[in-house]
Amino acid sequence: MTLLLLIVLLVVAWWLLGRDHRSPADRDYEADERNRMPAELADGKLVLSEQYRRTDVPRKLGARFDQVFLTPDGRLVPVDTKRRRRTRVTPYDQIEVSVQGAVLRHGRPGPLSRYEVASYGYLRIVRESLPTVYLRFPLLGDCELEALVDRYQGIQSGEVEPRAARSPAMCRKCAYRADCSADVARLR
Ligand code: SF4
């Protein structure tokens, strides 16, 4: 009798664990999202999600990862999600995801250290009432990030003169606007 009860419990547990508990709407959403993904992400594996990590190389940097995928050929690719209508990669996007690339190269968790880090990343742009798009772009390397950090610190300390930004939009979001004589948005 005890054996019979055990078998029944095991069958129930197997049935419950093996079932797909997602609702039809969730399943449709996931299938739709997968169809829009680049093949290497759709066929890859999600290995990091919503995690903050740091590195001291090439400079002290920290990054919050939205998602990192392991492609079928063994590369780690950062994917950053933005909710907006505009479907282009800005210099700010490139720097943000490049920092994620540097943190992956120098500060990825042990089990991921045997994989190569891709020299590119993706921006996943979620648009209201429009299909999600994935944009691939090259990541900045360590030397380029080093130069950016040094320049940023130089501007903060007053040793480096800021250059005028390439567009007024950059100035409108800038934290140093109040003290900057090169503010393009104000000068135009
Ligand atoms: S306000 Fe000055 S420092 Fe900020 S982005 Fe514009 S030009 Fe650069």
Side-chain angles (χ1 to χ4, degrees):
M1 188 62 191
T2 313
L3 182 63
L4 183 63
L5 189 63
L6 187 64
I7 290 170
V8 169
L9 283 174
L10 283 174
V11 169
V12 170
W14 170 81
W15 183 76
L16 283 174
L17 291 174
R19 266 183 74 195
D20 186 347
H21 294 279
R22 293 170 303 170
S23 69
D26 284 348
R27 275 199 294 270
D28 287 351
Y29 176 80
E30 283 174 28
D32 188 51
E33 178 78 25
R34 207 159 272 277
N35 285 337
R36 299 194 186 286
M37 281 177 162
E40 64 176 356
L41 302 185
D43 299 337
K45 192 173 147 197
L46 181 65
V47 289
L48 286 180
S49 176
E50 303 290 337
Q51 268 196 37
Y52 181 81
R53 304 198 73 84
R54 286 185 299 192
T55 177
D56 288 337
V57 182
R59 291 286 186 269
K60 278 191 187 305
L61 295 168
R64 176 164 292 284
F65 296 97
D66 283 346
Q67 293 174 313
V68 176
F69 282 84
L70 176 64
T71 63
D73 59 357
R75 270 170 302 158
L76 297 168
V77 183
V79 179
D80 203 58
T81 296
K82 302 285 179 210
R83 291 175 194 281
R84 66 188 185 210
R85 288 188 81 78
R86 204 179 32 173
T87 52
R88 72 180 184 91
V89 179
T90 66
Y92 181 83
D93 296 326
Q94 191 189 28
I95 293 170
E96 188 183 4
V97 185
S98 296
V99 170
Q100 296 177 18
V103 172
L104 277 180
R105 284 193 295 279
H106 303 290
R108 58 195 184 276
L112 301 182
S113 59
R114 63 200 165 109
Y115 300 113
E116 191 190 325
V117 178
S119 59
Y120 57 86
Y122 285 94
L123 214 58
R124 171 179 172 258
I125 302 188
V126 179
R127 302 174 299 164
E128 205 180 320
S129 313
L130 287 169
T132 295
V133 292
Y134 283 77
L135 303 176
R136 176 172 155 161
F137 56 96
L139 299 181
L140 304 175
D142 286 353
C143 295
E144 289 157 302
L145 289 173
E146 245 173 52
L148 281 172
V149 172
D150 293 348
R151 181 170 168 73
Y152 172 76
Q153 288 173 344
I155 290 173
Q156 275 196 318
S157 66
E159 287 164 33
V160 174
E161 193 63 29
R163 274 194 306 263
R166 274 169 290 181
S167 82
M170 291 171 91
C171 296
R172 285 189 201 106
K173 288 191 203 161
C174 177
Y176 304 101
R177 203 174 170 193
D179 302 318
C180 179
S181 57
D183 179 346
V184 183
R186 195 171 49 219
L187 295 178
R188 277 191 189 169

